[in-house]
Amino acid sequence: MGVGSGSGSRHDSYCLRTSGILDEYDVTAWMGDKGYIGTAMLTPIRKPKHRDLLDWEKDFNYHHNKKRAIVEHAIANLTTWHILHTDHRRPIDTFATTISAVLGLQFYRQA
């Protein structure tokens, strides 16, 4: 949820920082968009003011965003299917299994 997308909304990186996850887990292998720059996550390379991105930087951003798109589609499916919005929420200890199932369905649908 970005800034300005609703009353009391916060940027995702603010929510992540205040959640304590950054203190509890090693997030250096996690992938995020440019909104997560500065959180130690792997993020796209922001264009410097004084030059264009180099070819290897553009290539890195392309592949980074291509991988992130799969996760974004899975999140969209979670929202569309109301998996996390109904009174039939799964126990928190099965959350990883639920996410894995949605990712599996997403890959299956793309095949």
Side-chain angles (χ1 to χ4, degrees):
M1 176 176 287
V3 176
S5 59
S7 177
S9 64
R10 298 283 187 167
H11 193 282
D12 292 345
S13 64
Y14 172 86
C15 297
L16 184 68
R17 282 186 179 97
T18 59
S19 73
I21 288 176
L22 294 175
D23 300 325
E24 192 172 329
Y25 295 97
D26 176 13
V27 298
T28 56
W30 293 11
M31 298 179 77
D33 61 26
K34 289 180 184 175
Y36 291 98
I37 290 175
T39 61
M41 283 187 196
L42 188 61
T43 58
I45 299 167
R46 185 176 282 154
K47 181 192 168 300
K49 291 181 182 181
H50 63 282
R51 66 170 174 85
D52 290 333
L53 289 176
L54 302 173
D55 287 341
W56 74 266
E57 293 170 320
K58 291 176 186 177
D59 190 51
F60 174 85
N61 285 353
Y62 171 80
H63 289 287
H64 179 86
N65 291 328
K66 188 174 179 180
K67 290 175 184 172
R68 277 194 56 257
I70 295 168
V71 175
E72 294 293 337
H73 289 159
I75 291 169
N77 285 336
L78 284 170
T79 303
T80 302
W81 300 337
H82 301 285
I83 290 171
L84 303 177
H85 295 283
T86 67
D87 291 336
H88 305 289
R89 291 184 179 165
R90 298 187 45 82
I92 193 69
D93 61 332
T94 65
F95 187 75
T97 303
T98 302
I99 298 296
S100 295
V102 171
L103 284 170
L105 290 169
Q106 181 67 34
F107 284 119
Y108 178 76
R109 190 172 90 176
Q110 291 178 356

